[in-house]
């Protein structure tokens, strides 16, 4: 019994101790510093709402405290990318947070901070900094003037400022060299273009560095031997994306601890030195995208620890065979793309490695599919685009492509195969520009990019495609597919690019479509019915092509909420390639939200064009030709000042062409032919530069470049004055009219009275007689006087 009582007493004291410890955890000084940091943040997503509702700062989101002292030791406010939507912090990043006395870990990366405030940290530090880890990378901070604030952080081992503009900081290398404990330095994409690798490096102390990333700063400098004497313990070095020029220095080969050497896209010249085999610990080697030449040294095959090898996109020559890879048993990733090698792999060669990634794009492999690739059971990403393949082992090929879960890219080959009975499990599928036949394959619900264009697929879209919930790009252009598509795309809410052109799809245009659509191409199918108003409510849409279908009815009279087409706002977008039709011709074009297009030509649309369409001021290509549209061209068309291609031909438009159309100074293609326009073509630099074919078959239309108008037409046109002239003419007409009426009234007022009143008539005649007599007497007197003289 006494044991039980003792146990209960212990539990009670322990519970009270825990409760008491919790209530005293938050240090008031730390709390005030955090609230100062919080003051400049725009927390529109409520990410750190607990910072204002909870008194204990140790339970605030992203804040971690020491269990014993209750002091803040770690702050991690990096956004969680599993959230929907992702909750970014915005506003001001105040580095007063570095004043936290026991802070050892600070991660503010990947947020949307656009301003940074650097207080006089050196003067505010009354203690020795315990900060070990600092990551401010990938925020939206446009510029940081200096790095002097780093000097008190003597314990710092990890520093990542990648994607922060440091071009104003000319002494950054001296600033980071004041950090004696620094092991890892990440300054990728920091615009360090004024950085020069010179002899001064021998006075810089970076001996502790083991990881150095200066990639994509675009500085111009040679790699001097002294640069690689900074530290002999370095195991990760990335200088990719800089203008290094020159050859690979021999001193680099003395870095025996080096595990990763990344020198891609640095304009290196010369050959790979034979001494490359001395880097026995190397795991990752990237020399791609340079101007290296010569043969691949056989010593490359001695790097038995190598996991990742990328030497594509150079000017190498000669053969490459299985002998170069005989000892590379740990190889996991191989990139030989864009190379002129003569590939001499034995037909029965079984590599000593199992790759997860292989890229041989833009190389000569064909006509046979490389047999050794069939042996790669762990392959997740395969790129054999444009490699001349036409022949393959059907069974082995099908097994291989079903196993791939990452990227499967076989574009621009001549593969003929029926894969309709397969289920492809990759998330990125590109089989375009081949000759695949049969029905479409089943595709994994994890797919987000599918391009099967320019093949010979036939049949309908598989029912299973309804499950592609994260698909954002689909291109089935130029196949032999048919059937209705409404049901297949109703649940694809992430879709951004939908290209179904050049097939035989029928039915109506889907009404339930993704609100994220940016590109809609249904060109050259058998779609019928009206155009749903929902199409013109897609705020991200910048390319709409519904041409060459059987659409009828009038254009929707609705709010044209096409934000991309009526403002200069540009949304984030993913690179892709689609087929655009503009300026009277077609061409392949990389998707670019700055190119706005509407093409609904070659249908049976009728009625007037809603005025809202002519208010989409950012549209560059507008094609409404070959329909039954009526009405006049509104003067608002002059506001579409980015217009480069305008085709209204073969409709029933009438009336005069508005003078405002001459404001379209970027117009490179114009077709108004086969309508009922009348009057004279407005005078404008652009309008007269087109030949007569742009205006023909408008019987009442005249003016350059058509034949001259008749005198009557010219007078009629030129008699159309400005508003001011019209007012002046009107006043003049009323003045003349008033004078005429006044004269008539005066004349008949006097003469009528003489005829009607006898007394006035007799008086008038007596007055005339007296005047006559007086004139007679005066004339005789003057005449007699003249004769006497």
């Amino acid at each position: 019994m006494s044991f039980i009582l003792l146990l209960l007493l212990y539990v009670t004291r322990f519970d009270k101790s825990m409760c008491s410890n919790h209530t005293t955890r938050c240090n008031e000084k730390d709390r005030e510093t955090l609230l100062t940091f919080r003051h400049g943040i725009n927390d529109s997503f409520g990410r750190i709402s607990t910072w204002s509702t909870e008194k204990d700062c140790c339970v605030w989101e992203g804040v971690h405290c020491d269990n014993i002292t209750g002091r803040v030791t770690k702050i991690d406010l990096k956004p969680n990318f599993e959230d929907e939507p992702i909750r970014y912090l915005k506003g001001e990043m105040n580095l007063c947070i570095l004043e936290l006395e026991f802070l050892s870990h600070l991660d503010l990366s990947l947020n949307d901070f656009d301003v940074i405030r650097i207080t006089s940290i050196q003067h505010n530090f009354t203690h020795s900094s315990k900060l070990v880890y600092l990551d401010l990378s990938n925020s939206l901070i446009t510029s940081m003037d200096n790095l002097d604030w780093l000097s008190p952080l003597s314990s710092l081992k990890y520093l990542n400022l990648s994607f922060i503009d440091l071009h104003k900081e000319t002494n950054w290398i001296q600033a980071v060299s004041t950090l004696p404990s620094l092991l890892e330095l990440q300054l990728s994409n920091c615009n360090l273009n004024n950085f020069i690798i010179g002899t001064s490096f021998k006075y810089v102390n970076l001996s502790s560095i083991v990881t150095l990333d200066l990639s994509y700063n675009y500085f111009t400098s040679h790699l001097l031997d002294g640069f690689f004497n900074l530290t002999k313990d370095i195991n990760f070095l990335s200088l990719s994306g800089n203008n290094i020029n020159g050859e690979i220095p021999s001193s680099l080969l003395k870095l025996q601890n080096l595990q990763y050497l990344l020198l891609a896209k640095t304009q290196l010249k010369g050959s790979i030195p034979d001494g490359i085999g001395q880097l026995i610990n190397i795991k990752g080697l990237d020399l791609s995208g340079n101007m290296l030449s010569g043969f691949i040294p056989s010593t490359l095959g001695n790097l038995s620890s190598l996991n990742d090898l990328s030497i594509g996109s150079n000017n190498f020559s000669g053969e490459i065979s299985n002998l170069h890879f005989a000892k590379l048993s740990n190889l996991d990733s191989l990139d030989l793309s864009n190379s002129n090698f003569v590939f001499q792999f034995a037909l029965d060669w079984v590599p000593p490695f199992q790759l997860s990634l292989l890229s041989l794009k833009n190389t000569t492999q064909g006509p046979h599919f490389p047999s050794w690739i069939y042996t790669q059971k762990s392959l997740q990403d395969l790129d054999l685009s444009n490699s001349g393949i036409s022949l393959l082992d059907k069974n082995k090929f099908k097994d291989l492509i079903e196993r791939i879960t990452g990227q499967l890219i076989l574009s621009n080959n001549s593969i003929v195969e029926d894969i309709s009975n397969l289920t492809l499990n990759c998330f990125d599928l590109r089989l375009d520009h081949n000759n695949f036949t049969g029905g479409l394959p089943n595709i994994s619900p994890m797919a987000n990019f599918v391009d099967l264009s320019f093949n010979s697929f036939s049949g309908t879209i598989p029912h299973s495609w309804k499950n592609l919930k994260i698909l954002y790009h689909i291109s089935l252009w130029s196949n032999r597919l048919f059937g209705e598509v409404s049901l297949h795309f109703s649940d694809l809410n992430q879709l951004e690019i939908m290209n179904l052109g050049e097939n035989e799809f029928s039915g109506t245009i889907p009404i339930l479509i993704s609100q994220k659509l940016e590109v809609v191409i249904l060109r050259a199918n058998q779609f019928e019915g009206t155009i749903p108003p929902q199409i013109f409510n897609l705020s991200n849409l910048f390319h709409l092509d519904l041409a060459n279908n059987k659409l009828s009815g009038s254009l929707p009279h609705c709010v044209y909420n096409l934000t991309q087409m009526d403002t200069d706002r540009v949304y984030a977008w993913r690179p892709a390639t689609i087929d655009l039709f503009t300026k009277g011709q077609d061409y392949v074009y990389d998707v670019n939200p700055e190119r706005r297009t509407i093409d609904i030509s070659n249908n049976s649309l009728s009625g007037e064009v809603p005025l809202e369409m002519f208010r989409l001021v950012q549209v560059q290509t507008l094609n409404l030709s070959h329909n039954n549209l009526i009405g006049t061209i509104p003067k608002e068309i002059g506001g579409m000042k980015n217009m480069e291609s305008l085709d209204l031909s073969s409709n029933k438009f009438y009336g005069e062409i508005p003078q405002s159309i001459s404001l379209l100074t970027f117009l490179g293609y114009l077709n108004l032919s086969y309508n009922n326009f009348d009057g004279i073509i407005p005078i404008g630099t652009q309008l007269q530069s087109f030949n007569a074919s742009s205006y023909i078959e408008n019987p009442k239309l005249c003016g350059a470049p058509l034949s001259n108008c008749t005198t009557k037409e010219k007078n009629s046109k030129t008699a159309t004055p400005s508003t001011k002239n019209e007012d002046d003419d009107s006043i003049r007409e009323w003045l003349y009219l008033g004078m005429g009426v006044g004269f008539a009234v005066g004349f008949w007022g006097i003469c009528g009275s003489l005829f009607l009143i006898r007394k006035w008539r007799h008086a008038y005649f007596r007055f005339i007689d007296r005047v006559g007599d007086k004139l007679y007497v005066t004339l005789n007197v003057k005449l007699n006087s003249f004769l006497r003289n």
Side-chain angles (χ1 to χ4, degrees), residues 574-639:
R574 297 180 174 95
T577 300
I578 59 174
D579 293 84
L580 300 185
F581 290 76
T582 187
K583 297 185 180 180
Q585 58 186 352
D586 62 285
Y587 58 96
V588 176
Y589 194 89
D590 287 336
V591 173
N592 188 332
E594 294 182 358
R595 163 67 59 179
R596 278 85 162 187
T597 301
I598 297 177
D599 190 344
I600 53 178
S601 60
N602 287 284
N603 282 286
S604 299
L605 299 170
S606 58
E608 295 189 355
V609 179
L611 188 60
E612 288 79 5
M613 183 168 288
F614 293 102
R615 289 174 175 165
L616 301 175
V617 296
Q618 294 295 329
V619 170
Q620 291 157 292
T621 296
L622 178 61
N623 191 347
L624 308 180
S625 64
H626 294 88
N627 281 287
N628 296 309
L629 298 170
I630 61 173
T632 60
I633 301 178
K635 64 181 181 180
E636 281 79 3
I637 197 171

Side-chain angles (χ1 to χ4, degrees), residues 210-221:
V210 293
T211 297
L212 178 61
D213 185 355
L214 300 177
S215 60
Y216 295 95
N217 283 291
Y218 305 102
F219 58 75
T220 300
S221 184

Side-chain angles (χ1 to χ4, degrees), residues 632-633 654-659 676-680 682 701 717 720:
T632 60
I633 301 178
Y654 56 83
E656 294 185 350
I657 301 173
Q659 181 65 42
N676 295 312
F677 293 117
D678 57 41
I680 298 178
L701 188 65
K717 187 68 177 181
T720 304

Side-chain angles (χ1 to χ4, degrees), residues 23 105 143 214 229 249 256 370 485 494 508 537 542 709 740 777 779:
T23 57
H105 183 111
S143 180
L214 300 177
N229 293 329
Q256 294 297 307
V485 300
Q494 302 302 312
T508 58
N537 196 37
F542 64 85
C709 301
V777 170
L779 182 61

Side-chain angles (χ1 to χ4, degrees), residues 353-398:
F353 48 75
Q354 284 292 318
L355 298 175
S356 64
L357 182 149
L358 173 62
S359 179
L360 296 174
K361 68 177 180 180
N362 297 319
T363 62
T364 303
Q365 299 294 323
H368 290 276
F369 192 96
S371 59
W372 67 269
I373 299 179
Y374 293 137
T375 68
Q376 302 301 293
K377 306 299 182 182
S378 302
L379 205 58
Q380 298 177 21
D381 298 284
L382 174 63
D383 190 345
L384 281 171
S385 57
N386 196 30
S387 56
I389 296 173
S390 59
L391 303 175
L392 42 80
D393 185 314
K394 294 184 178 182
N395 294 328
K396 290 181 179 180
F397 174 76
K398 292 179 178 180

